[in-house]
Amino acid sequence: FQKDVISQSSFEAVSVQFWKISNRALEILDKSKFLAPILEHCGVDLGEIDIDHLAFSYWESIGKRTPDVILRAKSILISIENKLGSSVDTWQLVEEYEDGMKLQRNFWLIAITAHYVELSQVEEAKSMLREKGYKDPSIKWINWQQIYAILRINAKSGNATEQKLIGDLLSLL
């Protein structure tokens, strides 16, 4: 049991480290080439949002819950839950979504897991939120394999610096 807890903590630390390094790399990288495709793959409507003005924060409490990563701009708030070794908690998603909606009507919650198919907890959370009156909850799921593929494909069209940085990020996954 203790080994499982240590492994879970290690996996979550690696995923948060990935986002922290990504944030630093995105200061150099073209966000429209490397961040936007991941968000768009998740169904996030970036619309008129200037992707270069998204601010990153980590483990910032937004109410009852503390998401792993928050991306925000004036007209959008995106909360990201990294789940590599741990399971997705339906109630966590519900509470985090409700908290996010109190802060920004254009709120998106993205759950990232290592699973190959979307977890039932994501759909359960959406269903619970619909019962609470949310018309179409913006809770999305993506796995680390999809993120890896998106970054790898887009790195091919990058310059030498972008290719090196993306290569370093991918080595974490």
Side-chain angles (χ1 to χ4, degrees), residues 13-27:
V14 167
S15 65
V16 171
Q17 188 64 22
F18 171 83
W19 284 105
K20 286 183 177 181
I21 292 171
S22 296
N23 184 28
R24 290 185 196 108
L26 285 170
E27 292 173 4

Side-chain angles (χ1 to χ4, degrees), residues 60-75:
E60 177 186 331
S61 180
I62 61 168
K64 296 177 189 173
R65 299 293 181 158
T66 303
D68 295 316
V69 180
I70 294 177
L71 307 175
R72 72 165 41 99
K74 188 175 183 178
S75 61

